[in-house]
Amino acid sequence: MARARTGVRALGAVLAAVLGVSLAGCSSTGGKRAEDARKAQAAAGKAAVNTPRWTFAMVTHSGDGDTFWDIVQSGAEQAAAKDNINFLYAHSDEGQQQAQLVDSYISKKVDALIVTLAKPDAMKAVVAKARKAGIPVITVNSGSEQSKAYGALTHIGQDETIAGEAVGDELDARGKKKALCVLHEQGNVGHEQRCAGAKKTFGGDLQNLYVDGTNMPDVQASIEAKLQADRSIDSVVTLGAPFADAAVQAKKTAGSKAEVDTFDLNPKVAKALQEGTLGFAVDQQPYLQGYQAVDLLWLYKYNADVLGGGRPVLTGPQIITEKDAAELEEFTERGTR
């Protein structure tokens, strides 16, 4: 008999049942035909299910040009294609504008919503409005502490405090004594939690540096000035992959020997890890955040399933170093890690 399936394989079994696909329990040939058929459907952009064509909308706190959110969006779009979902996406790094975007989707009577709670106070009322309208909500990435209280089905992402604590432990393991934590978005509670978590477990001295993340030359100049003013800083931690490169350039210009580390992955980060330009990266698997959010909403609409048991569904943190980067490089190149 075929072994019991768990996780993603269990979801595959559910989808197979929905399609009425008949798999021979112990036949490798039958399983191969089913897998080939699934791949052919995906390549053709066809849905793997015949459920109604619901409309799901995602509204994030992303600023323009943030590659992290491109990965989240990609995961959501691929799950939507599989699940026969009409997927809509909008973003704003301003809390009130993000709330207005969510409100506009409520007015359009979307079937489900995915939102981030980087600035939870601005989002509380509009999330409550969605729930009152009968629209299920899943939160992703930011807002794990507020998600349940706001009425979301579940939260998908990493616990930012735990992620920060992992960074503090890693800095200690590397023998660092003085670190700079670079916050690129004012008012983002997740960023504050990351730096606070790192400060909690780091045995050395950690200082916060606030920069304007919408102005990369300013980011580089601010880090450079800090490194020039304090030669004892031996580690710089950025909170997003696009800012790691700015920190590396600032280090060079300042003539500093500080190690640069970062949250999140992209192709540049994967390459820099292999080259030794970066020390480590903290991966929270953004593709999985987008993909799982759509998939779990589909499961809720189709079968009233809820994952997490009232607790966040964690996608990180995972510390990525030089030894891991080569394996992940092809995934970063295709935009899924």
Side-chain angles (χ1 to χ4, degrees):
M1 296 296 293
R3 295 180 179 176
R5 297 172 178 176
T6 58
V8 175
R9 291 185 179 180
L11 178 56
V14 172
L15 296 179
V18 174
L19 284 167
V21 177
S22 176
L23 299 178
C26 299
S27 168
S28 60
T29 303
K32 185 177 186 304
R33 281 199 299 265
E35 178 64 10
D36 289 344
R38 184 195 66 77
K39 288 181 178 178
Q41 284 181 323
K46 294 180 180 179
V49 296
N50 59 2
T51 46
R53 188 160 175 79
W54 294 308
T55 296
F56 295 175
M58 173 184 278
V59 184
T60 74
H61 64 276
S62 170
D64 293 332
D66 191 333
T67 56
F68 176 91
W69 292 102
D70 293 340
I71 302 172
V72 176
Q73 186 179 350
S74 175
E77 288 173 344
Q78 291 190 33
K82 173 179 65 68
D83 293 340
N84 193 33
I85 299 300
N86 176 36
F87 179 73
L88 307 175
Y89 179 81
H91 65 92
S92 174
D93 57 3
E94 296 292 334
Q96 290 301 324
Q97 290 182 17
Q98 185 189 2
Q100 290 170 9
L101 289 168
V102 174
D103 193 48
S104 71
Y105 284 134
I106 295 172
S107 298
K108 292 177 181 177
K109 298 181 179 180
V110 297
D111 297 292
L113 277 163
I114 303 162
V115 302
T116 60
L117 302 178
K119 295 166 183 174
D121 291 343
M123 296 293 290
K124 184 176 183 179
V126 77
V127 172
K129 183 177 180 179
R131 299 299 298 120
K132 187 176 181 180
I135 300 173
V137 179
I138 281 181
T139 60
V140 298
N141 183 259
S142 301
S144 60
E145 295 182 356
Q146 295 84 9
S147 179
K148 186 176 181 180
Y150 284 15
L153 296 176
T154 193
H155 177 82
I156 303 172
Q158 71 180 3
D159 183 297
E160 302 292 18
T161 298
I162 292 174
E165 290 172 355
V167 168
D169 288 339
E170 184 68 19
L171 292 174
D172 279 340
R174 290 167 176 265
K176 303 304 179 184
K177 302 300 180 184
K178 192 167 189 177
L180 195 64
C181 195
V182 183
L183 298 93
H184 61 266
E185 184 180 340
Q186 294 277 0
N188 186 320
V189 294
H191 289 183
E192 297 287 349
Q193 290 168 348
R194 289 179 183 181
C195 293
K199 189 177 184 68
K200 178 181 177 181
T201 57
F202 182 40
D205 176 29
L206 185 142
Q207 300 177 0
N208 288 355
L209 175 66
Y210 294 87
V211 298
D212 180 5
T214 65
N215 184 339
M216 203 61 77
D218 177 74
V219 173
Q220 182 174 330
S222 297
I223 297 172
E224 180 184 331
K226 190 69 175 178
L227 291 176
Q228 287 177 333
D230 188 349
R231 296 290 177 180
S232 65
I233 295 172
D234 56 15
S235 180
V236 177
V237 180
T238 62
L239 302 187
F243 305 95
D245 188 55
V248 169
Q249 297 305 316
K251 167 187 171 178
K252 290 179 181 178
T253 308
S256 170
K257 295 182 179 180
E259 176 180 283
V260 177
D261 309 302
T262 191
F263 280 76
D264 305 330
L265 285 174
N266 65 14
K268 278 190 174 182
V269 168
K271 184 176 181 180
L273 286 170
Q274 292 184 72
E275 295 174 344
T277 309
L278 295 179
F280 67 88
V282 185
D283 185 22
Q284 60 174 307
Q285 302 184 98
Y287 178 87
L288 190 58
Q289 292 177 15
Y291 193 98
Q292 283 288 79
V294 170
D295 240 13
L296 293 185
L297 282 171
W298 177 85
L299 283 166
Y300 180 77
K301 294 287 292 182
Y302 171 67
N303 204 45
D305 289 318
V306 178
L307 195 64
R311 295 180 180 272
V313 178
L314 298 182
T315 62
Q318 179 183 6
I319 300 295
I320 305 296
T321 63
E322 178 184 2
K323 63 183 177 62
D324 310 301
E327 180 182 357
L328 297 179
E329 186 175 20
E330 69 170 291
F331 306 140
T332 62
E333 290 290 346
R334 76 183 185 192
T336 56
R337 286 298 288 269

